[in-house]
Amino acid sequence: MGVLKFMLAVSPIVFVLVGILAFKKPAMKVAPLALLWTLALAFTYFNVTGLGFKENVAAYDALLWKGIKEGGKIVAMVFGAFVILNTLKKTGAIEDVKNTVAHISGSDRRVQLIVVGLMVPIFLEGAAGAGAPAAIAAPFLVALGFDPVIAIAVALLGDATPCSWGGAGLTTISGGAALVDAGVSTAALNSAMVGRIHMFGVMVIPFIMVAIAFGRKGFKNIVPYLCYAGVTTGVTMFFLSNFIGPEVTSMGTGIISILFSVAYVKLVPIKTPEEFRYKTPEKAERKYSAWRAMSPYIYMLILLPAVRYGVPAFVKNGFALMCTFGYIVWVDAVIFLCAVLGAITLGMRAEDFGGAFTGVTGGGSVTVVRQSKDGKAPVYEQVSAAQARAMEGRTFFSDASACVKNFPSAVGKALRRSEFGSVCKSTIGSVCPVLVTMGSLLVLAYIMQSKTTGMMNLIAGDISRLAGMFYPAAAVFIGTMGAFITGTGLGSNIMFAGMHTQAATSLGMNPITVFAGQNAGASLGNLICPNNTVAACATVGQVGNESKVMRKTLPAWGIILTLYMALAMVYTLVVFPGFGM
């Protein structure tokens, strides 16, 4: 191991961390400078393939455009999520969202934090993945009145465990393909073992979340619920990952854990101190019904899994079609569609359809005027809407036809009423600068991963050679560093799964438990990945405050990383040395 070479290889990572954390500079300023430093290394010290200047320019030019393109895809998702938050604020629906969540999850803000910050991201990771969980959960928490920096940190933490499965189990299935191809494991075994690690992670995360948001005082009278939430979520994750399969682990865990949590707050009274109680404003009048106020998020909860699982099921080569422009693009499109549908739902009024809407729904009653028998005084009579339609010679079908005819103009009126156009324009100005940051960080990652520099492989190789019998713990750290650089657990798994298989075999260790450590670490790496932090900050207007977020997520990452490294060692050397063999 060359110490200088190793230090130079990790220097881009150190550059980013020191710039954001130590110097407290915005990622938008640090990322381009870190990219320039990485390029300087790539052209000189790490020009391992011996390419000439012209060939290097051609190679890195392609990576530059790839980074801009992929960064644009992430910014598109951020844009859709931020539009939803701004639409809720603009229309005033945000207050009704708070009241609705308080009614469902109880008036304790700590319960709201766990449900929205932990369980919703787990569901969304299984439904879509691709960074959607934090991008959606963070604005949701802000809508509930949480500090934006805390909301971002909690949302990222909530997505720290389900990334090992991702959308439909893709991270474990594709990321562990090297073990399957080598004949040493199966997707089911890989899922089962990483589930045995993450089940302990989700048991401690509720406590970390409360500590981040409220400090020590936040644990007053809530510890039983936190234990319950952690255990039920962990046991559910264990059961699904071990006995059902990787495809449904994340989404199933999210749904079931939410149901468990709602049941708890309805059946077990929590003595909530006043400082943690969500207080409904006095004399507050609902502007929207619960479903209308929550409509953008309801649409997402329905459409994301419907598209993810429905298109491949009913369309030939459906998944390949969805990924034509990259996996994240369909997620971007669905989130923006939900923003549009939400704006329409919030802005729509029955009067936009004239009397036809009441005719179709058939609800309510109306007052009609009849002539009295003596012909002197009019008679006022209350009749049903259906009777009134019949008196006017209208039918259900004529009203339905009128509704269809009026629908385009009603949609236009709804979008104007919710000021959707102005919301989009203001949001574009907020998220465009993020493209500079995201593009720079992605290009930096591509350069470090490329064969022309070999920087990431050198880092992982040196760590593994030093580890010896502690290799299972090293695999967790390598996995988390891989995700830190690539921005995805899948990318980290694909990069290092083969290396771990070879190393475990040569050391006489179980490759399944070693890869489980890699997979768990890769999922955890999403918590501190600069790309994810920047994207989540952009969804709630906190661009430039990345250092504040990372100061909260790094301690949480350190706690869970230590736990996972210990579990990987115990599982590999003591508890499951022959698992799946």
Side-chain angles (χ1 to χ4, degrees):
M1 171 183 173
V3 176
L4 176 61
K5 199 169 187 178
F6 179 83
M7 292 178 64
L8 287 174
V10 299
S11 63
I13 301 174
V14 176
F15 195 117
V16 172
L17 289 175
V18 171
I20 294 175
L21 294 173
F23 291 97
K24 299 180 181 179
K25 297 296 182 182
M28 191 170 67
K29 293 182 178 180
V30 175
L33 293 175
L35 173 58
L36 290 175
W37 169 245
T38 308
L39 281 169
L41 291 174
F43 273 93
T44 55
Y45 195 84
F46 286 99
N47 184 13
V48 295
T49 56
L51 294 177
F53 181 79
K54 185 177 180 180
E55 290 82 3
N56 270 323
V57 169
Y60 298 130
D61 181 65
L63 295 180
L64 174 65
W65 288 110
K66 181 182 178 183
I68 293 173
K69 181 179 69 174
E70 296 302 317
K73 295 175 184 178
I74 297 173
V75 170
M77 181 178 63
V78 169
F79 173 75
F82 204 5
V83 163
I84 290 174
L85 177 62
N86 287 342
T87 301
L88 292 175
K89 289 180 178 179
K90 197 79 171 180
T91 58
I94 200 164
E95 293 302 321
D96 292 324
V97 169
K98 295 178 185 178
N99 295 334
T100 300
V101 174
H103 177 72
I104 295 172
S105 61
S107 59
D108 196 305
R109 286 170 53 77
R110 297 164 298 181
V111 175
Q112 296 175 5
L113 184 78
I114 302 305
V115 171
V116 179
L118 173 63
M119 299 169 187
V120 170
I122 291 175
F123 167 82
L124 290 171
E125 184 63 39
I136 295 169
F140 202 158
L141 287 167
V142 171
L144 291 174
F146 287 93
D147 177 83
V149 171
I150 290 174
I152 297 164
V154 167
L156 288 170
L157 181 55
D159 198 30
T161 57
C163 291
S164 281
W165 294 278
L170 189 67
T171 305
T172 289
I173 295 170
S174 297
L179 282 78
V180 178
D181 294 342
V184 299
S185 186
T186 65
L189 290 173
N190 290 337
S191 173
M193 187 50 64
V194 77
R196 299 180 191 198
I197 294 177
H198 280 314
M199 65 179 289
F200 290 102
V202 295
M203 287 181 186
V204 301
I205 284 175
F207 293 88
I208 299 175
M209 285 182 169
V210 169
I212 289 174
F214 303 106
R216 290 185 180 180
K217 61 181 181 180
F219 293 104
K220 188 175 182 180
N221 298 341
I222 200 68
V223 171
Y225 168 76
L226 297 180
C227 292
Y228 172 86
V231 170
T232 53
T233 305
V235 170
T236 302
M237 184 175 284
F238 167 79
F239 177 80
L240 293 177
S241 62
N242 278 258
F243 301 106
I244 304 299
E247 295 85 356
V248 298
T249 296
S250 291
M251 191 164 67
T253 300
I255 293 173
I256 294 171
S257 61
I258 290 172
L259 295 176
F260 272 127
S261 190
V262 171
Y264 183 95
V265 297
K266 297 299 181 183
L267 298 175
V268 182
I270 299 175
K271 297 180 180 179
T272 306
E274 282 301 310
E275 59 184 315
F276 304 125
R277 187 181 299 278
Y278 173 73
K279 300 178 179 64
T280 304
E282 292 184 11
K283 299 181 181 180
E285 294 184 5
R286 272 195 173 275
K287 188 176 181 180
Y288 299 96
S289 64
W291 84 266
R292 286 185 70 191
M294 297 282 290
S295 60
Y297 296 111
I298 293 173
Y299 289 136
M300 273 193 288
L301 293 177
I302 295 171
L303 289 179
L304 282 172
V307 173
R308 174 62 184 85
Y309 293 95
V311 173
F314 297 104
V315 179
K316 185 178 181 181
N317 297 322
F319 186 69
L321 182 65
M322 290 166 58
C323 298
T324 301
F325 301 103
Y327 181 88
I328 195 175
V329 173
W330 78 265
V331 180
D332 298 341
V334 171
I335 291 177
F336 184 70
L337 174 62
C338 293
V340 175
L341 293 175
I344 293 171
T345 303
L346 291 169
M348 194 76 79
R349 299 287 185 272
E351 58 264 26
D352 297 337
F353 298 92
F357 186 80
T358 304
V360 171
T361 57
S365 59
V366 295
T367 302
V368 296
V369 182
R370 295 177 183 270
Q371 194 68 29
S372 63
K373 292 182 179 180
D374 56 14
K376 294 181 179 180
V379 177
Y380 296 91
E381 185 179 355
Q382 197 82 4
V383 299
S384 69
Q387 289 174 310
R389 290 202 313 275
M391 292 176 185
E392 296 172 5
R394 292 158 52 198
T395 66
F396 172 85
F397 295 104
S398 66
D399 284 332
S401 177
C403 278
V404 172
K405 184 179 179 180
N406 293 334
F407 185 73
S409 63
V411 168
K413 291 177 183 178
L415 290 174
R416 286 192 294 273
R417 194 177 286 121
S418 61
E419 300 184 56
F420 188 71
S422 63
V423 167
C424 288
K425 288 179 182 178
S426 63
T427 305
I428 288 173
S430 301
V431 302
C432 274
V434 180
L435 183 58
V436 176
T437 310
M438 295 300 304
S440 298
L441 290 172
L442 285 169
V443 176
L444 183 154
Y446 297 150
I447 293 172
M448 291 189 69
Q449 295 173 60
S450 70
K451 293 180 180 179
T452 54
T453 65
M455 295 169 74
M456 201 63 217
N457 284 332
L458 183 145
I459 294 170
D462 284 352
I463 292 174
S464 64
R465 281 190 291 273
L466 280 174
M469 67 172 292
F470 295 99
Y471 189 83
V476 178
F477 186 77
I478 291 170
T480 204
M481 285 296 100
F484 179 90
I485 292 298
T486 65
T488 69
L490 176 60
S492 179
N493 286 349
I494 291 174
M495 188 184 302
F496 298 124
M499 182 189 77
H500 291 313
T501 302
Q502 295 174 7
T505 302
S506 65
L507 292 169
M509 295 178 178
N510 189 337
I512 299 174
T513 55
V514 170
F515 174 71
Q518 151 71 36
N519 196 358
S523 182
L524 183 59
N526 285 278
L527 173 59
I528 57 169
C529 171
N531 295 355
N532 296 344
T533 303
V534 170
C537 284
T539 62
V540 292
Q542 293 297 305
V543 174
N545 285 333
E546 295 85 5
S547 63
K548 293 181 180 178
V549 174
M550 292 189 75
R551 287 174 183 275
K552 293 185 179 297
T553 55
L554 273 172
W557 169 79
I559 293 170
I560 303 173
L561 177 71
T562 303
L563 172 63
Y564 282 7
M565 292 172 80
L567 287 171
M569 289 291 295
V570 172
Y571 283 2
T572 302
L573 302 178
V574 181
V575 183
F576 302 115
F579 179 83
M581 303 295 284

